[in-house]
Amino acid sequence: MTETDRIARAYRELEATAGSRWDLRNHGNRLVLAERRRLAAKLLERAGWIPLSDRRVLEVGCGGGSELAWMLEVRASPSNLVGLD
């Protein structure tokens, strides 16, 4: 077995046992997400965009829509949120 094969096998086993790469059951992933959302809220606040209630938001590449759902926490209006995957 080559080193490349060994590494590829290790990653396959990791994916099989630990869920997807961005699985929120992983504590590190939850920390990264919390930090990203905290910084995004800070930037939105600094720009004077919070509350988002009067703004229309388009998220391109929204997947399951979890970031759009987070926008509700920064007071976005559900009728102004649009996601496109």
Side-chain angles (χ1 to χ4, degrees):
M1 176 183 297
T2 68
E3 182 66 4
T4 302
D5 292 335
R6 185 192 69 75
I7 292 170
R9 184 173 137 207
Y11 274 98
R12 281 193 304 273
E13 289 172 2
L14 177 64
E15 290 289 325
T17 59
S20 71
R21 181 175 300 171
W22 298 111
D23 193 329
L24 290 179
R25 291 176 290 183
N26 178 307
H27 181 66
N29 290 343
R30 289 192 309 272
L31 291 174
V32 168
L33 180 61
E35 180 179 20
R36 187 178 79 219
R37 287 178 174 173
R38 181 182 59 78
L39 292 172
K42 186 176 180 179
L43 289 171
L44 290 168
E45 183 76 44
R46 186 181 299 160
W49 289 7
I50 290 180
L52 290 174
S53 56
D54 295 331
R55 300 196 179 267
R56 294 185 302 178
V57 177
L58 169 64
E59 182 185 5
V60 177
C62 67
S66 62
E67 293 306 304
L68 286 173
W70 171 76
M71 294 279 177
L72 298 173
E73 293 180 28
V74 288
R75 302 185 303 250
S77 173
S79 63
N80 287 339
L81 298 176
V82 176
L84 174 68
D85 194 32

